[in-house]
Each structure stands twice: as structure tokens, then as C-alpha cells.
Amino acid sequence: MRINYDLHDLQAFVAVAQRASFRQAAADLFLSQSALSRRIDKLEDSLGVKLFERTTRRVQLTNVGQTFLVNVRTALDGLEDAVLGVADLAAHRTGSVTLACVPSAVWHFLPDVLARFSERFPRIRVRVHDESAQDVLNLVLAGVADFGINFTGAENPEIEFAPIYVESYVLAMRSSHPLAGRKELSWKETMNERYISVATSSGNRTVIDAALAGVEKHPVILCEVNHVSGVLALVEAGMGVAAVPGLSVLPGRQDTIVGVPLVNPAIHRTLGLIAKRNHTMAPAARTLFDMLREAFVKPQ
């Protein structure tokens, strides 16, 4: 096959894949959308395959495009390493790291480590995708994110999972609630409360339903929303209580919402760093991954 594309075409492909948007990728590359589209068309014509599914609403990698993205990013990082030299790579390298994580991790786990990383490597750009657990897993599997912080993935044979934190579920309620001062609460004690919950399609709901499968009486759910943030907004408004992961009750809400640990049964989930198995990360991504692991994984 004759190679009829250049480095700029590959960089354009990676930009569109990362942004899932021609408009945003064009802005990142300081190109017009038409010029960017021509580069992608040229690359697809040269390869003889379709890399993106494009509609008026979304841009999505094809299966071939997902595989190609992993290989292209590896090749580009290898080229960059060769040009800059291994000895001064960490000190002078420009580039980017893409991290996917569940929203609570952004607040609790990233700020201190990202501040230290930015201080050490001020020319490296960090992109954070704060998404649902399933989306985080998909971004890592597709190679769009270098790695992720997630509570799912340990069971996936394509994923390496390094535990960093065991999170307990709590009953979130207004700070004025009669039960707000308790150290812990059994599920039985909360059965008469007005429960707000995430929808059955949520990973959090799956965890709770599985843990309560052997419990004779379950809470009555009076309102469902799709995301934990929506659940907490309704709790804050005084509509009821909710069983949520402890990390989701952010410090900024302490004046209005408290979280009391739930027991009998106690429910836990394990957050971990996830990466695609047998995939070599770019040096910058590996450095940030290692910094996060060292910050939160306790020595055995």
C-alpha cells in the first residue's frame, strides 16, 4: 500500500478522536473545519477504510478507527521520544495526557496530584473526561483515554485494575434531618424514609440492589433520576434521603447535606486506576499514573 498521508494527517485524526468533534478539534489545531475534514478524508482514502461514523449530531470512531487510534498514538509518542531524546523527555517534553474518571474522583483524588504534576511538567496538557463509570471504561478500552479512575473494570479481561480506595455507601440527608447526628444507620431503621434513587440503569443502583438482594424488606423509592448529582440536589431541596457513595457527598455541601454510613448490610465499592492490559502508555501518561498510584495506594 502506498503511503499518501503525513504526520499532520495523523495528528488531525487523533485530535478528532479525542474531541469526538470536528469543530473542537479544528479549534485545537487552529484549522478551519473544512481543512480538517479534507485531512481526514485524505487519510481514509489512503487507508481505504472508514475511520469515523459521522452524523449531524455526533462523531464516533469505527471499530477499525479505534484500533488505528491506539497504534497511531503509540507511533506518535515514539516519534516524539526519538526527536526529543529520552534523557530530557521528562523535563522538556510537550504533549498531552488524557484521563477519564468518575466525577467524584475529580474532587477527591485529582487536585493535589495534578497540581504537583503541572508544577513538574508545565508544558504537558492534561485532559480530564469526568463521565459515568461505563463511559470511563469505554474511553480506556477505546484508547481515547490513557487511563482512568473507576469502580468498574476489574472484571474485564482487557483491563488492569489497581485499587486505590474502598468507598462506603452512606445515607445522604439534610443536616437538619432527625437522623443526621447518628454515627451509622441500619437499612431497617430507614425503611420509613422517603427514598430518592438513581435509575436502575445506573452502576450505583446495581451495586445497591445486589447488596440488598438477601434483605427481606427494601426501601420504597419515590423518585428516580439518572445521576447522583441530581439525587443530591433533590435531597438538598428536602425531598427525601438517598443511599449514595460516600465520596459523592462533597465537602462543599456540609452545611446542608450529611452522609451517615449504612450498615446491615454495609455496602462498599472499590475505586481503582484502570488501564488497558498490555498497552504501553506514553511517558507522560505513565508518570501521572504512577503519581496517582503512589499517592493513594498504601504499601502492603
Side-chain angles (χ1 to χ4, degrees), residues 51-280:
L51 299 173
F52 294 100
E53 294 288 351
R54 292 176 249 184
T55 68
T56 55
R57 293 187 176 182
R58 63 186 301 184
V59 177
Q60 187 173 2
L61 285 166
T62 62
N63 290 336
V64 173
Q66 291 177 0
T67 301
F68 189 59
L69 174 64
V70 174
N71 293 332
V72 168
R73 294 185 71 184
T74 299
L76 290 177
D77 283 321
L79 176 61
E80 188 173 22
D81 290 359
V83 171
L84 295 177
V86 175
D88 61 353
L89 177 65
H92 304 293
R93 179 178 186 266
T94 59
S96 65
V97 178
T98 301
L99 164 64
C101 62
V102 289
S104 58
V106 177
W107 183 279
H108 291 276
F109 296 101
L110 293 186
D112 290 343
V113 175
L114 284 184
R116 288 191 285 112
F117 182 83
S118 180
E119 185 176 358
R120 287 178 59 188
F121 310 110
R123 298 175 64 192
I124 296 178
R125 180 180 182 185
V126 179
R127 296 187 180 96
V128 178
H129 293 277
D130 52 328
E131 303 287 354
S132 69
Q134 188 59 50
D135 286 339
V136 169
L137 181 60
N138 291 340
L139 287 168
V140 173
L141 287 171
V144 175
D146 296 295
F147 64 92
I149 303 177
N150 207 6
F151 62 88
T152 61
E155 69 288 348
N156 191 306
E158 296 183 61
I159 290 293
E160 292 183 354
F161 186 95
I164 60 173
Y165 185 82
V166 177
E167 180 180 23
S168 299
Y169 277 69
V170 301
L171 190 70
M173 66 193 85
R174 286 185 59 86
S175 56
S176 57
H177 193 285
L179 298 176
R182 294 283 297 275
K183 296 295 183 183
E184 63 181 28
L185 287 166
S186 69
W187 286 87
K188 184 177 180 180
E189 292 176 287
T190 72
M191 290 301 168
N192 293 326
E193 297 295 327
R194 296 175 58 87
Y195 263 83
I196 302 163
S197 174
V198 287
T200 54
S201 59
S202 166
N204 279 310
R205 180 69 174 271
T206 300
V207 170
I208 294 172
D209 288 348
L212 295 181
V215 176
E216 182 177 351
K217 188 177 180 182
H218 290 197
V220 177
I221 296 170
L222 300 178
C223 183
E224 287 188 356
V225 294
N226 287 333
H227 303 289
V228 172
S229 58
V231 168
L232 291 173
L234 297 183
V235 170
E236 196 168 15
M239 286 189 60
V241 301
V244 297
L247 291 179
S248 64
V249 184
L250 302 179
R253 276 191 161 121
Q254 284 179 337
D255 290 340
T256 54
I257 296 181
V258 298
V260 178
L262 286 161
V263 296
N264 298 325
I267 303 178
H268 310 284
R269 67 176 185 177
T270 301
L271 281 168
L273 292 165
I274 64 170
K276 199 167 183 181
R277 192 177 298 277
N278 299 323
H279 171 66
T280 302

Side-chain angles (χ1 to χ4, degrees), residues 4-6 9 37-47:
N4 189 32
Y5 52 86
D6 58 25
D9 298 330
S37 293
R38 285 195 296 271
R39 288 189 179 182
I40 299 301
D41 290 341
K42 173 186 170 186
L43 183 58
E44 289 180 331
D45 289 342
S46 178
L47 295 171

